[in-house]
Structures are given as C-alpha cells and as structure tokens.
Amino acid sequence: MKLKSMCALVAILGSAFLTSAKENPWSYNYSAGARSFPLGAGAGGSMAYNRLLYGKNSDDNIIYGYLRPVIGIGSSGVVNKGSLKLELSPISPLVFSTSSQQIGSYTALETIDCQQTDCYHRLQKQVSSVALVFGVLPWFGKIEKTVEEQSSSATNTFADPDSNLVGGSGGKDSLQGTEITTGLVLNYQWTAGLQWSWAKFKNSNAANSIQSIFAQKTSGQRSLISGFGFYESSHTEKKPFAFIFLQWSFGKSLGLM
C-alpha cells in the first residue's frame, strides 16, 4: 500500500466527524509509515488553508462548500517529494482536486528491473482527481478516480516510485487509478475497513492491484493505522504485505487532508 493511500484512510475517517474551521483556518498534518512489500518507509507533512465558501460546517450539516490549498513535502531518504494542491468542494461529500508534484528518485525499486528501466530520475506529475465520500454512520465509503500526467527526466522507460510501475518510453505516460474504501466507525477511537485500488499506465500498459484490510485507533491528535493485504502488478506476482502508519493532525480541517 502506498503511503498516499494510508493518508487517504485517515482523511476519510476524519471526515466522519465534521469540525468547524471558524477559529483558525490553518491545519497541519505530520505522518510516518512503513510497509513490507514493496518495501518502503517514509515521513512527511502538509499545511492547508481552509476557506468555507458557503453553508455551515457542523456535526449536523453536510451542505457546505469549501476551497482548500495544500502544500506538502515527503521523503524516504532516497525518494523525495514536494507538492502543491488545490481542493474544491461544491458540496462537502464531493471533492475535486488538482496538484503538481515534483519527485526525485534515487533508488532501485524492488519490483522493477532498474538495468532496463530508469529508476534514478526526476519525475513531475500533474494530478487530477475526483472523490466522493458517502455512507450512514457507522458505515462509510469513499470512491476516488485519479489521472496522473507524468513526465520524467529519463529518455527511455521510467519507474514511478509511488505505484511501483514502469511508464512508457520517451519519459512520458499517463497513469489512471481507482481507489475504493469502505468500513465501520466502531466508536470514537476505533475504525476498521477494507480498501481496493487499481492503477494502469496508458502507454506501457503496466498495471497493479492492491487489496487490504485495516484498523485505526485515534487518540486526541494522533491516529495509528495498521493492517495487511496483497499486492500484484505486471512486474511481480501477488504477494502479501503488512503496513503501519502514524499521523498527527493539528488545527481544524474542512477537507480530506
């Protein structure tokens, strides 16, 4: 599971308890996590400005809209990322977003032959997504569709360290992804659920799929998520993995941080 996917889990679960951003429009997020396959670990943070466009953000109201710029950084030591993102929600369960990401990859990837594919390169992503959060507590769900236009400094095929897939020759390709999450809010501390995701490059046809089960415990500003699942791709057979993820959130947020 990507660290990005684990971040999404915390965001979805947090959306079950709506909070007001009237007092302070700024929110901050710090996170760290690791997975066993494809082997990876990292840490990062983000800062967001929450601008309510209309309506009232409260526990008994979901009819509101907001605009939310976010700046983020992340690093595993050998893969470093910076991003600028803008979220627009015309109505709170529906979120459109666009972002620009700059990634520096300086490591071989476990599932890719880096003798044939460039794993040491700079990668730029222009990402567009639409997400829908729904459900009636204690049940919740989320569906997200994503398109990433990727451009690499490599001149041949290139490795995407997020998806662990190989993009097409010429250093450019388009990655399309779908992610589905569903689960139950058991109480104010515990949540559990399932997640499925699929991604595929348009030119290279490289694809992956991930299925996982997770549990989350929230205590104050801290959230701990752990679980296990299965990963398979065009480059590797299905293999099990385990993951753990810890996040600290400060300030009150309107969106899916």
Side-chain angles (χ1 to χ4, degrees):
M1 174 177 283
K2 299 180 292 184
L3 295 183
K4 176 184 174 184
S5 297
M6 289 186 276
C7 285
L9 293 180
V10 177
I12 297 162
L13 307 181
S15 70
F17 304 101
L18 299 178
T19 57
S20 173
K22 283 185 176 180
E23 298 85 356
N24 184 356
W26 295 96
S27 55
Y28 309 88
N29 177 288
Y30 306 96
S31 59
R35 63 167 181 255
S36 62
F37 185 85
L39 184 63
S46 64
M47 177 176 67
Y49 182 82
N50 302 277
R51 174 65 176 174
L52 191 65
L53 298 178
Y54 73 90
K56 181 181 179 182
N57 177 216
S58 62
D59 291 341
D60 58 355
N61 178 53
I62 63 170
I63 309 302
Y64 64 92
Y66 65 84
L67 186 67
R68 189 166 182 270
V70 186
I71 183 171
I73 58 172
S75 178
S76 66
V78 290
V79 177
N80 305 309
K81 179 187 294 187
S83 65
L84 293 173
K85 182 179 183 180
L86 183 64
E87 293 180 359
L88 172 63
S89 175
I91 186 169
S92 58
L94 181 65
V95 182
F96 298 93
S97 72
T98 181
S99 67
S100 178
Q101 302 177 8
Q102 297 288 337
I103 301 172
S105 180
Y106 309 102
T107 184
L109 299 181
E110 186 175 2
T111 63
I112 294 174
D113 182 358
C114 294
Q115 299 295 321
Q116 303 295 324
T117 296
D118 197 339
C119 297
Y120 303 81
H121 63 125
R122 297 183 307 278
L123 184 62
Q124 182 177 10
K125 297 184 180 183
Q126 300 298 325
V127 184
S128 301
S129 71
V130 57
L132 177 65
V133 178
F134 53 90
V136 177
L137 290 178
W139 173 73
F140 68 90
K142 178 191 174 189
I143 298 177
E144 183 174 15
K145 296 285 291 185
T146 305
V147 177
E148 300 181 2
E149 299 299 334
Q150 300 192 11
S151 179
S152 170
S153 59
T155 56
N156 57 340
T157 57
F158 63 93
D160 174 17
D162 288 333
S163 63
N164 281 268
L165 294 176
V166 173
S169 60
K172 291 186 178 181
D173 209 337
S174 178
L175 183 71
Q176 298 186 14
T178 302
E179 192 172 275
I180 300 173
T181 305
T182 186
L184 293 172
V185 179
L186 304 177
N187 53 47
Y188 279 92
Q189 279 197 316
W190 286 97
T191 308
L194 303 168
Q195 186 177 68
W196 301 265
S197 67
W198 303 266
K200 184 177 182 179
F201 271 115
K202 181 179 179 180
N203 295 334
S204 70
N205 288 318
N208 69 19
S209 66
I210 305 170
Q211 307 88 40
S212 63
I213 184 171
F214 66 88
Q216 173 183 328
K217 182 179 181 180
T218 300
S219 179
Q221 298 169 324
R222 299 185 303 275
S223 294
L224 176 67
I225 292 180
S226 60
F228 65 91
F230 293 92
Y231 174 93
E232 65 179 323
S233 75
S234 306
H235 316 303
T236 185
E237 61 186 10
K238 180 180 285 189
K239 292 187 178 182
F241 68 89
F243 65 88
I244 187 168
F245 181 79
L246 181 62
Q247 177 170 283
W248 296 264
S249 298
F250 303 89
K252 295 182 179 181
S253 173
L254 288 169
L256 304 181
M257 190 166 189

